[in-house]
Amino acid sequence: AAVAAAGAGAAGAAGAVAAPPRGIRAWLRSAFRFATGRNDFRRNLLLNLGLFAAGVWVARNLTDIDLMAPQPVP
């Protein structure tokens, strides 16, 4: 019974959705809480998606270098 109660409490805490932050201080507080929270899966997922998006942006926008072009002879 104690395990079921603990599981229900954890599920309730994970399913709870906080209200959107109002103001810059509340937004910074929620960002700090997100960065230092214990929910590593969500943080790592967003971090990996952000890094992937940054890599895609770099690959699409900074590919002006043609590595197969003949190089000038000094």
Side-chain angles (χ1 to χ4, degrees), residues 11-72:
V17 177
R22 299 179 189 272
I24 189 69
R25 291 183 67 189
W27 189 88
L28 287 173
R29 185 181 305 119
S30 65
F32 179 77
R33 186 177 299 147
F34 173 75
T36 59
R38 293 187 175 192
N39 194 351
D40 289 336
F41 175 77
R42 186 175 67 161
R43 181 174 57 229
N44 289 339
L45 179 66
L46 284 177
L47 179 65
N48 287 331
L49 287 175
L51 289 173
F52 178 74
V56 168
W57 185 88
V58 167
R60 289 180 59 100
N61 293 304
L62 301 179
T63 54
D64 294 335
I65 301 169
D66 187 3
L67 297 176
M68 297 301 291
Q71 298 298 311

